[in-house]
Amino acid sequence: MIDLAKLTYNEAGLIPCIVQDADTGEVLMMAWMNQEAIRRTIEQRTTWFWSRSRNKFWHKGEESDNTQQLVDLRYDCDEDTLLALVDPAGPACHTGAQSCFYRSFFDKAE
């Protein structure tokens, strides 16, 4: 396993994490992690993130029960983006949508 300190974080100490359904491949969301959120995610096998707006850790599903059980956590070739493969227990988006990426710039008829 990579030393978490060797990952490339932004100036705020954060790294983006794409969350993907391990079974379907659907991209569910993107959220920010810091070293502690990564450590918690790996140890507890459930996703933890850093909320920039609330300036605190949040455990996905702590309020909604829409948890994400970790199947695998990967990092890209530049070591500056994470990919969490998860088994979701409900929708990922706070709107109730399965994925946060439910809107398109293009008309579906195009």
Side-chain angles (χ1 to χ4, degrees), residues 25-60:
E26 181 178 20
V27 174
L28 301 175
M29 60 184 281
M30 190 291 285
W32 296 95
M33 290 182 159
N34 59 18
Q35 283 188 42
E36 178 62 18
I38 298 168
R39 187 190 63 72
R40 290 181 188 192
T41 296
I42 291 168
E43 288 179 0
Q44 297 178 22
R45 304 289 293 192
T46 185
T47 54
W48 282 85
F49 303 105
W50 179 258
S51 172
R52 295 176 303 160
S53 61
R54 294 178 287 176
N55 201 37
K56 70 174 196 167
F57 290 101
W58 60 282
H59 179 228
K60 180 64 178 151

Side-chain angles (χ1 to χ4, degrees), residues 32 35 43-44 50 62 85 88 91 93 95 101 110:
W32 296 95
Q35 283 188 42
E43 288 179 0
Q44 297 178 22
W50 179 258
E62 66 188 330
L85 301 174
C93 187
T95 66
F101 297 97
E110 290 183 37

Side-chain angles (χ1 to χ4, degrees), residues 19-109:
V19 180
Q20 184 178 25
D21 187 308
D23 290 332
T24 68
E26 181 178 20
V27 174
L28 301 175
M29 60 184 281
M30 190 291 285
W32 296 95
M33 290 182 159
N34 59 18
Q35 283 188 42
E36 178 62 18
I38 298 168
R39 187 190 63 72
R40 290 181 188 192
T41 296
I42 291 168
E43 288 179 0
Q44 297 178 22
R45 304 289 293 192
T46 185
T47 54
W48 282 85
F49 303 105
W50 179 258
S51 172
R52 295 176 303 160
S53 61
R54 294 178 287 176
N55 201 37
K56 70 174 196 167
F57 290 101
W58 60 282
H59 179 228
K60 180 64 178 151
E62 66 188 330
E63 295 177 14
S64 66
D65 289 328
N66 297 328
T67 58
Q68 298 170 337
Q69 289 303 120
L70 186 67
V71 175
D72 195 9
L73 185 62
R74 301 177 181 178
Y75 53 97
D76 73 336
C77 56
D78 293 325
E79 300 175 350
D80 64 359
T81 305
L82 302 177
L83 174 66
L85 301 174
V86 301
D87 180 16
C93 187
H94 72 280
T95 66
Q98 181 63 23
S99 168
C100 292
F101 297 97
Y102 61 91
R103 299 180 288 185
S104 175
F105 284 96
F106 303 100
D107 185 345
K108 302 277 189 225

